[in-house]
Amino acid sequence: MSEKKISVLIIYTGGTIGMIQDPETGALMPFNFDHLLDNVPELKRLGFLISSIQFEPPIDSSEIDPASWIRLVKIIADNYDTYDGFVVLHGTDTMAYTASALSFMLENLAKPVILTGSQLPIGMLRTDGKENLITAIEIAAAKENGFPVVPEVCIFFQNHLMRGNRTSKISAENFNAFRSLNYPALARVGMHIRYDNNLINKVRVPRPLKPHYLMDTNVVILKIFPGITPQTVDSILNIPHLKGVVLETYGTGNAPSKPWFLDMLRAAVARGIVIVNVTQCSSGSVQMSLYGPGNKLAQAGIISGYDSTTEAAITKLMFLFGHGLSSEEVKDRMRLPLTGEYSTQHLEDQIEA
């Protein structure tokens, strides 16, 4: 009896990777993924059963929104029992937001969901798209002792496999466009794919996939900058129906200590708005107990986002408020990692402090 072939579903949402050059006009046009094996013949050598679903029409990643995430979750949920792994082809601009959102929306995930894309269209001679696509499929199909090697939502880009909700786009031009600066890569790719199994979320007790389809967009990102005015802060914190704010602060979680600023934050917290402090820095963690300005934010009722990315913090707020939780319940859940979106060591350090 022949062994069952591993199957992978590719979901093409849009983005640069899905473009090829018209041989007659030279213009770039969307790639028809119904003919994927014809256009990327290298995939035949992988020996997997590969199917594809294409968003019609494809969506530029700057147009991605929670409705797109819900659509992705439904496709994965509807096909979950049929395929061993999933590859989501996505534009790079909002890929980290989508990866973060999916990590929360796909509860009990026990199969790989690998997002990838490219900086150059797959039809161009120097494209990074083919290598990213082929390797993402290999990772989505990888098993050890019959179990998926990477049963979580990840981004694969330019030789690095990264946890999706720890990853940010760092370059608009370079092939290594993404980095997970506060959490090591789950795998590095050279001649071989070398997984770091100690870093990967493993499924200890298998449970049925629980897809979530509710997201609340009554949230906002407020980035602190020198010279920010009371009018700016007041207009943002008093947006009608606002429920959550990701406050991007300096360094380890510092912001101005001006009385008007702290008063506005206290008033917003008193109205039930959840304000989460994340650093503007590319790497590092919020530690509000370290300096006076951060301490004052904590006293005003601001909660720490630890070493979370902005993308993970904002999508987590959407997810939690989307499920009808109270502001106090959201605060409690923001203080605990749901799917490895921040480092528990930072949490332990701050509890001790």
Side-chain angles (χ1 to χ4, degrees):
M1 186 175 178
S2 61
E3 189 177 342
K4 181 188 172 186
K5 273 192 173 184
I6 292 175
S7 58
V8 175
L9 178 64
I10 298 173
I11 307 167
Y12 173 57
T13 66
T16 300
I17 193 170
M19 307 297 284
I20 56 171
Q21 200 167 37
D22 186 309
E24 296 181 3
T25 66
L28 292 173
M29 52 188 282
F31 187 89
N32 186 340
F33 276 83
D34 289 338
H35 305 293
L36 178 65
L37 293 178
D38 294 331
N39 286 282
V40 190
E42 296 92 335
L43 296 181
K44 295 176 182 176
R45 296 169 59 186
L46 293 175
F48 308 134
L49 294 173
I50 298 173
S51 303
S52 64
I53 292 177
Q54 186 168 341
F55 276 25
E56 290 290 356
I59 302 174
D60 185 272
S61 68
S62 62
E63 303 287 351
I64 289 287
D65 60 10
S68 308
W69 303 335
I70 291 166
R71 191 173 171 187
L72 276 170
V73 168
K74 181 161 176 48
I75 290 171
I76 292 168
D78 288 348
N79 292 277
Y80 192 71
D81 294 333
T82 305
Y83 294 93
D84 296 288
F86 301 86
V87 171
V88 178
L89 301 182
H90 195 290
T92 58
D93 287 345
T94 55
M95 187 185 294
Y97 289 94
T98 296
S100 295
L102 292 182
S103 75
F104 304 125
M105 297 169 79
L106 294 167
E107 187 177 348
N108 299 334
L109 181 68
K111 294 182 179 183
V113 175
I114 312 299
L115 284 81
T116 194
S118 67
Q119 295 287 66
L120 287 176
I122 206 166
M124 294 187 71
L125 188 62
R126 292 181 52 251
T127 183
D128 54 329
K130 277 191 178 183
E131 184 177 325
N132 285 347
L133 172 60
I134 291 167
T135 308
I137 292 172
E138 282 193 88
I139 293 167
K143 291 193 175 188
E144 191 174 80
N145 300 320
F147 295 97
V149 174
V150 191
E152 57 175 296
V153 179
C154 298
I155 289 176
F156 175 75
F157 225 88
Q158 244 287 301
N159 304 330
H160 290 86
L161 179 71
M162 298 156 282
R163 177 166 296 158
N165 57 29
R166 304 302 295 266
T167 305
S168 295
K169 185 176 181 181
I170 61 163
S171 175
E173 296 183 350
N174 293 337
F175 283 164
N176 60 340
F178 290 87
R179 276 293 178 271
S180 170
L181 292 168
N182 283 335
Y183 195 75
L186 305 184
R188 297 178 186 275
V189 178
M191 291 180 64
H192 306 282
I193 302 176
R194 301 195 182 279
Y195 297 97
D196 192 331
N197 288 312
N198 294 322
L199 299 172
I200 298 169
N201 280 336
K202 293 299 182 183
V203 178
R204 291 177 175 82
V205 181
R207 295 185 177 93
L209 179 72
K210 186 176 179 181
H212 294 277
Y213 301 104
L214 301 172
M215 300 291 276
D216 191 327
T217 56
N218 288 299
V219 295
V220 72
I221 298 169
L222 172 56
K223 184 168 186 171
I224 301 302
F225 59 89
I228 193 168
T229 65
Q231 292 81 5
T232 299
V233 176
D234 183 66
S235 64
I236 290 173
L237 294 182
N238 284 285
I239 293 171
H241 313 297
L242 183 67
K243 295 180 180 178
V245 178
V246 174
L247 184 68
E248 285 195 349
T249 57
Y250 308 129
T252 57
N254 300 311
S257 296
K258 294 180 175 66
W260 66 260
F261 181 67
L262 294 173
D263 287 345
M264 287 183 183
L265 293 178
R266 275 192 288 266
V269 171
R271 295 195 302 272
I273 295 173
V274 177
I275 305 179
V276 183
N277 187 354
V278 302
T279 178
Q280 296 178 14
C281 300
S282 299
S283 63
S285 177
V286 163
Q287 301 174 56
M288 289 192 288
S289 61
L290 204 57
Y291 296 105
N295 247 319
K296 290 180 179 178
L297 292 180
Q299 291 166 10
I302 313 305
I303 63 173
S304 179
Y306 309 107
D307 61 352
S308 173
T309 64
T310 295
E311 296 92 334
I314 197 74
T315 54
K316 187 176 179 181
L317 282 174
M318 289 184 196
F319 172 76
L320 294 174
F321 278 118
H323 288 77
L325 301 181
S326 69
S327 60
E328 287 304 315
E329 289 172 323
V330 170
K331 282 184 182 179
D332 289 342
R333 285 163 174 76
M334 289 300 294
R335 291 186 178 106
L336 295 172
L338 299 181
T339 56
E341 66 273 14
Y342 63 78
S343 304
T344 54
Q345 181 59 42
H346 292 293
L347 176 61
E348 291 162 3
D349 289 346
Q350 295 196 46
I351 288 173
E352 289 171 6

